[in-house]
Amino acid sequence: GGEFAAGARAMVPWLAGVTPFGLVIGVSAAQADIPTLAGWLTGPAIYAGSSQIAAIEMLDAGTAPVVVVITALVINLRLILYSGAIATHWRGAPRWWRAVAAYLLIDPSFVVGIDRYQRPGDRIDAHTYYLGGAITLWVGWLLAIGAGATLGAQLPAALHLEFVIPLYLVGEIVPKLGDRATRRAALTAAVVAGALVERALYGFADIRTSIEHSSHGDEQLVGRSLLHDVAHGAGREQALG
């Protein structure tokens, strides 16, 4: 119980930053021309902010469901980078536990979990700590999406809040990782997620600049590049509209 509670406490500071993005997704679901329940169900079904936003926007645009599913899977391929970094700590755990842990693996749960795994101590205690943080995040995320969906369409769609999530990953998660290789993996994951959302929503052809910056670990250049792409995408959508 002590390790589980410690993991939950470690996740609480992340909830302050993650909750607004869950609200954004909930509001986006309420604005979209899809059932509110279907939008909310993207939370437990997909459980990844970037792909949830893409799925909601594509369903709203009438995209074929099979294309939506494939797009969500491709965007979530970034999680392979996280699973590769944390997999060594899960070896020997029961299969059911690894399945649950993998489902709950997302950016903040990765950061909280890898921090505990890298400390000395019993592996079982570290597993319990990880679950405490990951489950706390999962519950908070679904509550935030539900609250956003209940509030409804109160924010103008022109703000393009879907891009706040990958920018949040770059600005908040990457600097908190001490290991250089892990930082680079998280940075690349964030950039790939943002780039793929751009392709899903706007069909951009040139996303190489952000990815090249991420390969060199340049967080500031990545942030500026993503912001440029967001502005470009917004202007392009308004021109087409």
Side-chain angles (χ1 to χ4, degrees):
E3 288 288 341
F4 188 94
R9 286 194 300 271
M11 187 58 71
V12 169
W14 289 97
L15 293 178
V18 168
T19 298
F21 305 111
L23 292 172
V24 167
I25 290 177
V27 171
S28 296
Q31 291 176 338
D33 188 22
I34 60 175
T36 301
L37 178 61
W40 181 86
L41 286 174
T42 61
I46 302 176
Y47 193 46
S50 300
S51 52
Q52 283 175 246
I53 280 289
I56 290 170
E57 295 289 340
M58 293 175 73
L59 287 171
D60 184 39
T63 306
V66 65
V67 177
V68 176
V69 171
I70 292 173
T71 301
L73 289 174
V74 170
I75 293 174
N76 279 351
L77 285 176
R78 79 187 197 281
L79 299 179
I80 292 176
L81 297 170
Y82 294 156
S83 63
I86 206 170
T88 56
H89 303 289
W90 291 354
R91 287 176 185 165
R95 182 172 296 179
W96 69 265
W97 189 94
R98 282 180 286 158
V100 172
Y103 166 72
L104 294 171
L105 182 63
I106 197 66
D107 312 278
S109 57
F110 169 76
V111 175
V112 169
I114 203 71
D115 176 69
R116 178 61 179 85
Y117 282 121
Q118 290 175 346
R119 298 184 220 157
D122 184 75
R123 183 64 59 86
I124 300 300
D125 288 344
H127 289 344
T128 305
Y129 184 97
Y130 170 81
L131 284 182
I135 291 173
T136 299
L137 176 68
W138 184 78
V139 172
W141 182 250
L142 296 188
L143 289 175
I145 294 174
T150 302
L151 289 174
Q154 300 299 320
L155 297 176
L159 291 178
H160 295 282
L161 295 176
E162 62 270 16
F163 289 101
V164 171
I165 295 174
L167 289 173
Y168 164 78
L169 301 184
V170 173
E172 293 295 324
I173 292 178
V174 174
K176 290 181 173 64
L177 298 173
D179 179 73
R180 184 175 180 83
T182 308
R183 280 169 56 94
R184 186 163 295 179
L187 179 63
T188 303
V191 173
V192 169
L196 289 172
V197 170
E198 288 177 353
R199 291 297 300 274
L201 300 183
Y202 301 114
F204 289 170
D206 188 3
I207 60 175
R208 291 173 297 177
T209 303
S210 293
I211 296 176
E212 286 171 358
H213 290 329
S214 74
S215 68
H216 292 89
D218 194 332
E219 290 91 344
Q220 291 183 345
L221 285 177
V222 169
R224 287 199 296 269
S225 181
L226 283 174
L227 285 169
H228 174 270
D229 289 344
V230 171
H232 178 65
R236 178 174 177 175
E237 185 178 78
Q238 290 171 358
L240 291 175

